[in-house]
Amino acid sequence: MDTMLALVKESPELGLTLKEVPVPTPLDDEVLIETKAIGICGSDVHVYNWSGGYEFMESLMPIIPGHEYSGQIVKVGKDVTRFKPGDRVVVKYTVECGQCVNCRTGRRFLCSEGSKNNNGFRKNGGFAKYSVQKEDGCVPLPDNVSYEQGALVEPMSVTSNAVAKAQLLFGDVVVVLGPGPIGLLTLMFARASGAGTCIMVGTSQDHSRLELAKDMGADYVFTSDTVDIKEKVMEITDGNGADVIFEATGVSALIQDCLDMLTQVGKLVCISIYGKVATLELNNFVRGAQTMMGTYAGGPVTWERILRWLASNDYYAKQGIKVVTHTSNIKESDEAFARCNAKENIKELFTSFE
């Protein structure tokens, strides 16, 4: 076990390099984890394509990306007390310091120190057979929750946090823009939280994703390049507009459209990272007493709650795994990322590393 296969970002250009690298050695407060399942996140696609937004990684190259993963502990440092070899875990995106102002005021998911050691972006992540992580960076994976489900906990933390922040009321009309993994999981949590009519919006390229949205609880699905979405939403709501809209496309030009589709006192929740500045007309927003908010990541309590929920075998908890349409070997990474770019998959996991 001296070397392992890993996907490495070696330079600021297209692609990742598959190569043999040394197996890392855990420090006294770290564990060595054998990766069992890891998801390809949209941010990983940006890193693969080198399409902008991750220039901070240049000074850290070569680096192993990957941050949505679960695995089994194979070795522990001498100061580790909570875990032992053989334990199943989900690996957190970052390790919070517990000391900064965000940690001290209950916003641990925005830890200013933790953002300096994000898995797969500022330190080696999980696109490899093995990885090391701080003891506090691991959460126990219940025996009845699969490794594949465990690899979805990170995006579930993002989407459950978004739905919780929206403070949905039973019967609310919900619109989700963007039927990718984040949009679909947001739909799932909205349904689980008592949403009424649910509308999913994609494009004509999203046929399979919109079909899955219907299977996961959407009452209506529309393609924005073939119909007037605002007209459809107003028709469905008798001219009142949606109570809550989740924007999960990353297209800043759509934010104004979202505000125009909201009811008075409605809420717009932006889950995406945007590459361009949005220009907004705000008079109706102000006079309608609407709310627009951003949401980002999810704290450690969110992770533990999600894992308890998955272990409960709740009806909606079982829906999330449907977003996984492909599993592949890390040796097939170029093909996997090509499927991501062509929207031929929804969520793809690497589950084999040899």
Side-chain angles (χ1 to χ4, degrees):
M1 200 172 76
D2 295 329
T3 63
M4 63 180 182
L5 277 179
L7 287 175
V8 183
K9 190 68 178 180
E10 294 193 297
S11 57
E13 59 186 356
L14 176 68
L16 297 173
T17 302
L18 180 68
K19 61 188 299 186
E20 289 277 345
V21 301
V23 173
T25 300
L27 300 176
D28 291 345
D29 62 345
E30 292 180 334
V31 297
L32 179 67
I33 301 163
E34 180 182 358
T35 306
K36 295 295 187 179
I38 182 166
I40 300 176
C41 176
S43 59
D44 297 321
V45 178
H46 285 299
V47 171
Y48 180 92
N49 293 336
W50 204 245
S51 52
Y54 295 88
E55 289 78 11
F56 64 86
M57 295 177 65
E58 289 189 36
S59 63
L60 303 171
M61 295 177 185
I63 188 170
I64 300 171
H67 60 278
E68 299 180 356
Y69 65 111
S70 62
Q72 186 174 43
I73 293 176
V74 295
K75 188 176 182 180
V76 300
K78 69 180 183 64
D79 294 335
V80 173
T81 59
R82 293 176 51 232
F83 296 104
K84 64 183 184 304
D87 284 349
R88 306 167 76 246
V89 294
V90 172
V91 182
K92 289 161 55 179
Y93 171 59
T94 191
V95 180
E96 303 86 0
C97 72
Q99 302 299 320
C100 69
V101 64
N102 281 331
C103 284
R104 296 197 313 270
T105 53
R107 303 188 298 265
R108 291 173 66 92
F109 64 96
L110 292 175
C111 173
S112 56
E113 291 301 310
S115 64
K116 299 175 183 177
N117 62 20
N118 292 340
N119 276 328
F121 297 106
R122 299 184 187 273
K123 63 184 287 289
N124 284 336
F127 282 165
K129 176 74 171 176
Y130 300 98
S131 68
V132 292
Q133 181 58 279
K134 297 289 186 184
E135 178 181 18
D136 290 343
C138 299
V139 182
L141 180 65
D143 290 339
N144 66 332
V145 178
S146 69
Y147 286 117
E148 290 77 12
Q149 287 176 297
L152 294 176
V153 172
E154 194 276 341
M156 283 186 176
S157 76
V158 173
T159 52
S160 64
N161 194 30
V163 172
K165 194 167 184 178
Q167 296 182 316
L168 280 179
L169 299 177
F170 285 108
D172 273 350
V173 176
V174 171
V175 177
V176 181
L177 277 73
I182 294 297
L184 290 165
L185 292 174
T186 299
L187 169 66
M188 177 188 73
F189 280 113
R191 270 294 184 213
S193 300
T197 300
C198 289
I199 303 166
M200 176 65 79
V201 179
T203 71
S204 54
Q205 292 182 312
D206 293 320
H207 176 73
S208 62
R209 298 178 176 211
L210 292 172
E211 287 299 308
L212 180 56
K214 288 191 284 188
D215 187 45
M216 293 180 69
D219 299 292
Y220 300 91
V221 298
F222 297 116
T223 51
S224 59
D225 52 343
T226 61
V227 300
D228 186 319
I229 300 302
K230 179 183 176 182
E231 182 179 294
K232 290 293 184 181
V233 170
M234 291 303 174
E235 179 183 317
I236 291 167
T237 60
D238 295 325
N240 293 313
D243 297 298
V244 180
I245 297 178
F246 296 96
E247 206 302 298
T249 68
V251 180
S252 57
L254 293 177
I255 294 177
Q256 183 66 59
D257 295 334
C258 291
L259 293 176
D260 292 342
M261 291 188 289
L262 272 182
T263 187
Q264 291 186 327
V265 305
K267 301 171 186 175
L268 168 61
V269 184
C270 297
I271 316 176
S272 302
I273 300 297
Y274 297 90
K276 295 183 179 180
V277 173
T279 301
L280 304 177
E281 195 291 306
L282 294 176
N283 286 335
N284 289 334
F285 170 78
V286 172
R287 289 171 177 151
Q290 296 170 332
T291 301
M292 179 168 58
M293 64 187 82
T295 182
Y296 184 72
V301 174
T302 306
W303 289 62
E304 291 163 2
R305 283 181 178 273
I306 290 169
L307 285 164
R308 289 201 301 269
W309 185 57
L310 290 173
S312 75
N313 212 27
D314 175 87
Y315 170 79
Y316 288 107
K318 292 186 288 187
Q319 301 300 302
I321 196 66
K322 292 180 179 179
V323 304
V324 178
T325 56
H326 293 71
T327 58
S328 55
N329 190 301
I330 197 171
K331 293 179 180 178
E332 303 162 350
S333 59
D334 285 336
E335 293 86 347
F337 279 98
R339 283 189 288 271
C340 293
N341 280 315
K343 289 189 174 183
E344 293 173 356
N345 55 16
I346 297 178
K347 172 63 77 174
E348 183 148 355
L349 307 180
F350 292 126
T351 56
S352 182
F353 303 88
E354 295 178 343

